Amino acid sequence: MARILICHVPKDGSLARELGAALMGRGHFVSFDGEPDSTRPDRSARLRQFEAVIVLWTETSAHSAGLAGIAREVLPLNLLVPVRAADLPVTRLPLSFRKLSMPAPRDIDGIARVVARLSTAASSLREFAERQVARRPGATAPAPAGSTGGPLPPRQQPPPPAIKQTAAQRSAPSAASSSGPVVTEPAAGPRVRPLLDLPEVETVLSSPVAPSAPPQPPAPAPANATPAVSAPPRPTPRVFGAEDLGRAIDAGLLAYHIPAAMWLGAPTTIEITLGRDVLVQLFPAKDSHGGSGQTLETLSVSLYGSADAFEIERQSERTQFVSAKHALATHHPATFGRWAWLMTPCAAGPHDVVIRVSALMRDARGVPVPLALPDRRLSIDVQVPEEESFSPAFAGWHRS
């Protein structure tokens, strides 16, 4: 799961704690920064330790300069998750953030989807950087033992040979000056052999160049030779996507226990249960059945309806773990993989309900892959009981 930082002003502490508790219930690691206007020297370094930074915009925090500074710092780092209260106009926000998509603080599903996308992008960039570092050779060679690692001093040039005059030249300076320039000889010392003599250079340049041998055709293979058999390429594992999840739900991954007709004013329990046998067939164990290593970690199921037609009370957690290890660790096996609502019809006639499903996958390397499905609509016919339909007519006849 992701490491999340929630930035808010002190007056929005209760709203931030409620949002953090909902995200921690989904397995995320949540931290808080409730004093954005106070100066902290280590704040910039701390922001880069998280995979998502939630900035909570409300009526009380819209004028906070520190909160706006945090948002400007994490926006180019692809860490910003702006959350705006429903009663806050967009025009109250800084100009650079008005065109961003901002979920409401109560929209936990929307915030979780944005956090999942940022966490996936951060994991991909981190793995890419690690691969690049592994492929890159060492920038500097290790220094030899005893060296300080600094630049080498310039090479000392030998001093020029001392020039001395002969005894005859010292005894007859006038004759030397009248006859021409003084001839000097170098002082006695070891003779230094040149690195390359000119005759050797001329010999190398004048030597003929040997012609290169023409390319030889490959030798034919013997008749009794066994041809080399190349290993067949390994098949690429198929990636489980949103369309596959939709087909799995149609095949029985989720069973809908929703009646086609309901009575007006009568509360009814609506259930959606998980088909565990279908889940096992979709994701077999990699070591024994040769699966792709993908796992379905969580499923989020929500039920919506018109406020004029139904009163819906949620009776279970919206997001639930569906992996095998969490199924074995749960203390209530009967409630595992079960979503329930208490729905009371308020208006007669046919009405639609919307079922929204999203999931979180894990690939073979453990990278989270969020999936979202289109909304599914089901029609429910709300009927009026017969005794209630005749009572208004009987009451009118009695008054007349």
Side-chain angles (χ1 to χ4, degrees), residues 244-304:
D244 301 318
L245 180 60
R247 287 191 292 267
I249 291 176
D250 295 336
L253 182 61
L254 291 179
Y256 301 150
H257 304 281
I258 302 177
M262 298 176 61
W263 294 111
L264 180 64
T268 305
T269 301
I270 305 299
E271 290 186 358
I272 297 178
T273 57
L274 176 68
R276 305 186 186 184
D277 52 348
V278 179
L279 181 63
V280 173
Q281 295 177 4
L282 285 176
F283 304 101
K286 184 178 181 180
D287 51 356
S288 59
H289 298 84
S292 60
Q294 292 180 298
T295 57
L296 181 62
E297 185 165 317
T298 62
L299 269 177
S300 179
V301 183
S302 303
L303 181 67
Y304 301 96

Side-chain angles (χ1 to χ4, degrees), residues 12-13 53 57 79 83 94 123 130 147 158 174 189 225 235 243 278 296 309 378 390:
D12 296 333
V53 178
W57 298 109
L79 302 176
V83 177
S123 301
E130 292 175 356
S147 65
S174 59
E243 296 181 356
V278 179
L296 181 62
L378 298 178
F390 285 106

Side-chain angles (χ1 to χ4, degrees), residues 369-380:
V369 180
L371 301 178
L373 299 183
D375 294 343
R376 300 192 175 199
R377 293 183 176 272
L378 298 178
S379 180
I380 298 179

Side-chain angles (χ1 to χ4, degrees), residues 40-50 73:
R40 294 182 179 178
D42 59 339
R43 175 169 286 160
S44 298
R46 184 169 181 257
L47 291 175
R48 288 166 173 80
Q49 298 176 1
F50 297 91
E73 185 171 356

Side-chain angles (χ1 to χ4, degrees), residues 99-125:
K99 293 185 179 181
L100 299 179
S101 177
M102 302 183 189
R106 309 293 182 184
D107 187 11
I108 307 300
D109 290 340
I111 297 174
R113 284 193 291 268
V114 177
V115 170
R117 287 196 295 267
L118 296 181
S119 177
T120 303
S123 301
S124 301
L125 290 176

Side-chain angles (χ1 to χ4, degrees), residues 56-319:
L56 194 58
W57 298 109
T58 60
E59 283 286 348
T60 57
S61 65
H63 61 279
S64 174
L67 203 62
I70 292 176
R72 292 190 185 95
E73 185 171 356
V74 299
L75 178 61
L77 301 177
N78 197 23
L79 302 176
L80 178 62
V81 183
V83 177
R84 179 176 61 90
D87 56 349
L88 177 64
V90 182
T91 55
R92 295 282 306 278
L93 299 179
L95 185 61
S96 56
F97 305 108
R98 294 179 183 177
K99 293 185 179 181
L100 299 179
S101 177
M102 302 183 189
R106 309 293 182 184
D107 187 11
I108 307 300
D109 290 340
I111 297 174
R113 284 193 291 268
V114 177
V115 170
R117 287 196 295 267
L118 296 181
S119 177
T120 303
S123 301
S124 301
L125 290 176
R126 184 165 53 251
E127 293 177 1
F128 177 77
E130 292 175 356
R131 289 196 298 268
Q132 294 298 324
V133 171
R135 295 176 182 175
R136 188 183 307 165
T140 57
S147 65
T148 59
L152 295 177
R155 176 176 294 181
Q156 299 293 336
Q157 299 292 337
I163 300 176
K164 64 178 182 177
Q165 295 179 346
T166 61
Q169 291 174 347
R170 286 195 303 268
S171 61
S174 59
S177 60
S178 60
S179 59
V182 178
V183 179
T184 62
E185 60 179 357
R191 296 180 58 86
V192 180
R193 184 177 181 276
L195 298 179
L196 186 63
D197 296 333
L198 290 180
E200 296 180 3
V201 176
E202 294 177 358
T203 304
V204 172
L205 296 179
S206 60
S207 60
V209 179
S212 58
Q216 298 293 334
N224 56 354
T226 304
V229 179
S230 60
R234 300 181 61 182
T236 303
R238 186 174 179 273
V239 180
F240 192 88
E243 296 181 356
D244 301 318
L245 180 60
R247 287 191 292 267
I249 291 176
D250 295 336
L253 182 61
L254 291 179
Y256 301 150
H257 304 281
I258 302 177
M262 298 176 61
W263 294 111
L264 180 64
T268 305
T269 301
I270 305 299
E271 290 186 358
I272 297 178
T273 57
L274 176 68
R276 305 186 186 184
D277 52 348
V278 179
L279 181 63
V280 173
Q281 295 177 4
L282 285 176
F283 304 101
K286 184 178 181 180
D287 51 356
S288 59
H289 298 84
S292 60
Q294 292 180 298
T295 57
L296 181 62
E297 185 165 317
T298 62
L299 269 177
S300 179
V301 183
S302 303
L303 181 67
Y304 301 96
S306 175
D308 299 333
F310 299 101
E311 291 183 0
I312 302 177
E313 299 179 9
R314 186 163 53 89
Q315 305 294 317
S316 62
E317 292 293 335
R318 180 184 294 109
T319 301

Side-chain angles (χ1 to χ4, degrees), residues 281-366:
Q281 295 177 4
L282 285 176
F283 304 101
K286 184 178 181 180
D287 51 356
S288 59
H289 298 84
S292 60
Q294 292 180 298
T295 57
L296 181 62
E297 185 165 317
T298 62
L299 269 177
S300 179
V301 183
S302 303
L303 181 67
Y304 301 96
S306 175
D308 299 333
F310 299 101
E311 291 183 0
I312 302 177
E313 299 179 9
R314 186 163 53 89
Q315 305 294 317
S316 62
E317 292 293 335
R318 180 184 294 109
T319 301
Q320 300 183 18
F321 287 96
V322 296
S323 58
K325 60 179 181 180
H326 292 93
L328 297 176
T330 182
H331 299 288
H332 303 283
T335 62
F336 172 75
R338 175 181 175 270
W339 294 264
W341 300 265
L342 185 64
M343 189 163 60
T344 304
C346 303
H351 301 284
D352 291 343
V353 293
V354 177
I355 300 174
R356 184 171 299 169
V357 180
S358 59
L360 182 64
M361 302 283 301
R362 293 276 181 179
D363 62 6
R365 298 175 298 175

